Amino acid sequence: EKSGYDHFMLKEIAEQPRAVADTLLGRIGADGLLTLDEMRLSGEELREINKIIVVACGTSYHAGLIAKYAIEHWAGIPCEVELASEFRYRDPILTRDTLIIVISQSGETMDTLMAVRHAREQHSRVLAICNVNGSTIPREADAVLYTHAGPEIAVASTKAFLTQLVACYLVALYLAQVRGTKFGDEISQIVARLWEMPSRVEEVLSTMEPVRELARSLAGERCVLFLGRHVGFPVALEGALKLKELAYMHAEGFAAGELKHGPIALIESGLPVVVVVPSPSGQRVTHEKIVSNIQEIRARGAKTIVIAEEGDTSVEPYADTLIRVPAVPTLLQPLVATVPLQVFACELATAKGHDVDQPRNLAKSVTVE
Ligand code: M6R
């Protein structure tokens, strides 16, 4: 079943272009507009929403963090993101006009399921983004949008994450379409860029040998830091989570702007720091700021591993290792920038002799609170 791959994780990483395409398929009309009637939320219900809370755990939570940028930017709806295990132990202000979006690959995560029940008791509408047909969470939710990643066997989530991002983009754009916060031609332009993403992910996959080499060279390290800004911040969190899960290394993701508020004290000679650089055209200001962060940490001896858009020459003098990803619209960058981090963690863990499909202490779906 591993189709010639040594591990399910490698197979699932390789399946990502297909998974992204499958999640788009059948959801876009010939006019480039979205047809998400399957969600079973009426136009009227969608127009009434005045707040969105995205609730999830682990990697799915990182997808939620990215969804917030898309929902606020495209649909103009205030959006919060919360860990499912925290959500119901405070007193979230929920009304009928609050839409709760829960994201769960398995559809069986107990923390997330309890959040669904809590939200429904308060009469909020719940939309589930889920990969497993007929699992508990979509059955209990008011509406569901399935990701079409296919079965994900490896404990570490990879292709499910990319398809969760696609589903979140679709929901954000659909809300923009139904509520009229974007014109039809703007939506179809973004949709056209989404359609290019399977090829962009394929391009990234075809250039991963230097990343694998780098990972092997870092197998003796004790700690790796990850920095990002804007949608690159959740990507940094995801890169760190993958490394914790698979390589059992101390790994931490930070918002690069927070460096000077504390984490910079961690920087010491030889420490590997992965930096996810925003697009210089799409994110001019944050790009400039992160380039100075790279200079600062390098001046303190960090080994800089820089993930930057093709053609971004400004980072070249400060990158000990430069990983190129294709230029794509800012909000879509996580679809390409996450892939090298998955490959990095998988290869590093393999170099350390770990079982990447079944990391210690972890289960594929966490059915206890
Ligand atoms: O099935 P879910 O998406 O609800 O699972 C949530 C987390 O348990 C999951 O993403 C976990 O963090 C993964 N092992 C990450 O690779």
Side-chain angles (χ1 to χ4, degrees), residues 50-210:
N50 57 22
K51 182 166 90 177
I52 293 180
I53 309 181
V54 186
V55 181
C57 304
T59 288
S60 301
Y61 169 70
H62 298 153
L65 291 174
I66 293 165
K68 173 183 166 80
Y69 291 85
I71 289 168
E72 292 187 339
H73 187 73
W74 289 331
I77 305 171
C79 179
E80 298 168 20
V81 192
E82 188 148 8
L83 292 166
S85 53
E86 289 295 321
F87 173 74
R88 80 191 190 97
Y89 293 102
R90 58 179 181 98
D91 296 305
I93 314 298
L94 306 176
T95 68
R96 274 196 64 75
D97 300 333
T98 310
L99 176 69
I100 307 296
I101 302 181
V102 293
I103 309 178
S104 175
Q105 184 285 131
S106 61
E108 301 295 348
T109 301
M110 188 54 75
D111 288 310
T112 312
L113 176 61
M114 295 315 274
V116 171
R117 292 184 180 160
H118 185 67
R120 296 209 65 214
E121 277 162 18
Q122 324 275 313
H123 308 290
S124 291
R125 296 182 182 96
V126 178
L127 164 66
I129 292 178
C130 191
N131 194 46
V132 179
N133 255 300
S135 53
T136 312
I137 289 172
R139 276 196 276 118
E140 294 207 11
D142 296 286
V144 56
L145 186 66
Y146 282 106
T147 48
H148 294 159
E152 192 180 63
I153 310 290
V155 164
S157 189
T158 55
K159 62 176 180 172
F161 177 67
L162 259 61
T163 60
Q164 286 168 345
L165 293 179
V166 171
C168 290
Y169 296 139
L170 291 175
V171 169
L173 285 171
Y174 190 59
L175 285 165
Q177 177 177 306
V178 172
R179 296 161 66 98
T181 52
K182 284 251 170 267
F183 294 118
D185 55 342
E186 293 174 290
I187 291 178
S188 57
Q189 273 168 25
I190 303 167
V191 163
R193 302 307 299 271
L194 265 175
W195 273 124
E196 295 169 7
M197 295 313 293
S199 317
R200 300 289 97 90
V201 174
E202 195 73 69
E203 284 168 39
V204 177
L205 288 171
S206 67
T207 57
M208 285 297 94
E209 197 39 48

Side-chain angles (χ1 to χ4, degrees), residues 226-238:
F226 294 77
L227 301 177
R229 283 193 85 117
H230 194 261
V231 289
F233 169 39
V235 171
L237 296 178
E238 175 61 6

